[in-house]
């Protein structure tokens, strides 16, 4: 499969068209951003780590029956994916309180959320990704009623699969963000699943092993991502 034109460059990945209209190539760059793009740094190996991490997770999800955009790894930092018509929505499930829910609701970090919570956010950096409810999505036509229900069902299905997978490797899946898109009449999981878009803590020590290390200036960001990958059995070499 050949790369053609750059379709768009996001904060961490660039997306290219290919010689087949149904497929794209995603290039995972080393750029790391936080606070809606206000803090940006280059972190060595990050593109490669997140590309291989995402491919591993997408394959696990496919095996468990969740349909994704993933086709195959193309190189260390590139993957071939199905070209989706992305919904401008982020779906977040939280098993433990952290991040924006603590700021918004004034709750402490580290509370077990039983049952886990679900939130929709609008993908819009200029507006700082405001939270949405189902009615906003329907009234503004960002997704159909059926897609709203599918996004919730699929995001919780991913929780059941991945919470157990991380627990078996000694980690807590605190929260994560998913994005979905349309492909030939079906809703598929798109974008990525890596420690950039989820929170993972060591189950014993609660050491942060995700992008909060970058957001909070804790250091050892990629070392932590690689540790997570190694615990799952991902080979980065
Ligand atoms: P951001 O948009 O947050 O800056 P990225 O740097 O990750 O994010 O850019 C990747 C872009 O590619 C995002 O806008 C994402 O929605 C989009 N995307 C991810 N997967 C697909 C896909 N399979 N088809 C089309 N677009 C995709
Ligand atoms: N998240 C993401 N992209 C975003 C916003 C959130 O990947 O644009 C992820 C984030 O890494 C975390 C989860 O979604 O795992 C919940 O994020 P939160 O709402 O707590 O926002 P944050 O405080 O991380 O900005």
């Amino acid at each position: 499969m050949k790369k053609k034109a750059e379709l768009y460059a996001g904060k961490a990945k660039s997306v290219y068209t290919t010689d087949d209209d149904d497929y794209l190539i995603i290039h995972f760059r080393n750029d790391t951003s936080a606070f809606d793009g206000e803090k940006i740094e280059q972190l060595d190996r990050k593109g490669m780590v997140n590309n291989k991490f995402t491919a591993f997770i997408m394959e696990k999800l496919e095996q468990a029956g969740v349909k994704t955009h993933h086709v195959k790894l193309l190189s260390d930092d590139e993957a071939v994916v199905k070209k989706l018509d992305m919904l401008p929505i982020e779906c977040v499930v939280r098993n433990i309180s952290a991040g924006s829910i603590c700021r918004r609701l004034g709750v402490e970090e580290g509370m077990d959320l039983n049952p886990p919570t679900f939130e929709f956010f609008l993908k819009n950096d200029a507006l700082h990704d405001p939270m949405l409810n189902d009615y906003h999505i329907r009234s503004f036509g960002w997704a159909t009623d059926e897609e709203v229900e599918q996004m919730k069902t699929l995001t919780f299905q991913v929780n059941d699969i991945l919470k157990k997978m991380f627990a078996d490797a000694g980690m807590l899946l605190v929260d994560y963000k998913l994005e979905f898109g349309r492909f030939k009449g079906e809703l598929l999981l798109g974008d990525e699943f890596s420690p950039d878009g989820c929170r993972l803590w060591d189950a014993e020590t609660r050491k942060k092993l995700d992008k909060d290390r970058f957001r909070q200036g804790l250091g050892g960001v990629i070392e932590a991502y690689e540790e997570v990958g190694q615990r799952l059995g991902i080979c980065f070499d």
Side-chain angles (χ1 to χ4, degrees):
M1 183 148 309
K2 284 209 171 67
K3 246 189 203 173
K4 277 173 74 183
E6 185 176 82
L7 191 58
Y8 37 80
K11 296 188 293 297
K13 305 191 287 299
S14 300
V15 177
Y16 296 86
T17 56
T18 68
D19 42 16
D20 187 327
D21 284 349
D22 285 341
Y23 297 93
L24 296 173
I25 290 173
I26 295 194
H27 172 217
F28 286 71
R29 308 192 313 269
N30 285 343
D31 298 304
T32 313
S33 75
F35 313 120
D36 302 314
E38 277 171 33
K39 176 175 176 174
I40 301 178
E41 275 175 38
Q42 293 269 314
L43 297 179
D44 238 25
R45 291 172 69 79
K46 178 177 168 269
M48 179 274 292
V49 168
N50 280 359
N51 184 39
K52 292 185 179 175
F53 198 107
T54 295
F56 177 89
I57 299 285
M58 294 283 176
E59 281 164 18
K60 287 278 174 210
L61 293 175
E62 288 275 358
Q63 285 161 16
V66 176
K67 292 191 173 175
T68 79
H69 71 165
H70 180 69
V71 178
K72 61 174 184 184
L73 278 175
L74 189 64
S75 68
D76 273 2
D77 56 7
E78 294 166 309
V80 178
V81 299
K82 289 176 180 152
K83 180 181 183 177
L84 307 186
D85 173 17
M86 297 301 291
L87 304 183
I89 292 169
E90 299 183 339
C91 301
V92 172
V93 159
R94 299 174 194 272
N95 296 304
I96 298 176
S97 60
S100 74
I101 202 168
C102 298
R103 297 192 294 275
R104 278 182 283 117
L105 304 185
V107 296
E108 276 172 34
E109 181 179 273
M111 293 170 63
D112 282 339
L113 304 178
N114 227 333
T117 64
F118 181 96
E119 295 160 335
F120 285 121
F121 295 93
L122 181 66
K123 233 181 112 64
N124 185 322
D125 284 337
L127 298 177
H128 305 292
D129 295 351
M131 190 158 71
L132 301 173
N133 66 30
D134 303 23
Y135 289 88
H136 298 131
I137 295 176
R138 289 175 186 135
S139 303
F140 292 102
W142 287 316
T144 65
D145 288 7
E146 193 191 352
E147 287 167 338
V148 165
E149 292 315 313
Q150 282 179 322
M151 283 191 280
K152 290 181 194 169
T153 304
L154 289 167
T155 307
F156 277 119
Q157 199 180 335
V158 167
N159 199 36
D160 292 339
I161 301 161
L162 296 188
K163 206 164 59 168
K164 178 168 186 320
M165 188 192 75
F166 285 113
D168 289 345
M171 290 171 278
L172 298 170
L173 177 59
V174 173
D175 59 32
Y176 57 91
K177 179 267 300 178
L178 300 182
E179 293 180 28
F180 295 91
R182 301 172 183 136
F183 184 76
K184 298 182 192 288
E186 261 193 313
L187 200 65
L188 305 187
L189 176 63
D191 205 47
E192 69 177 281
F193 192 106
S194 75
D196 262 9
C198 69
R199 290 191 169 90
L200 291 164
W201 294 350
D202 179 83
E204 290 286 312
T205 63
R206 297 211 158 196
K207 179 183 169 189
K208 294 177 201 258
L209 299 170
D210 55 68
K211 199 178 183 179
D212 271 350
R213 301 202 69 80
F214 176 72
R215 293 189 188 96
Q216 299 172 9
L218 300 174
V221 180
I222 301 310
E223 290 81 353
Y225 289 21
E226 292 196 75
E227 183 186 332
V228 173
Q230 277 149 11
R231 288 199 204 182
L232 296 175
I234 304 173
C235 176
F236 292 120
D237 298 317

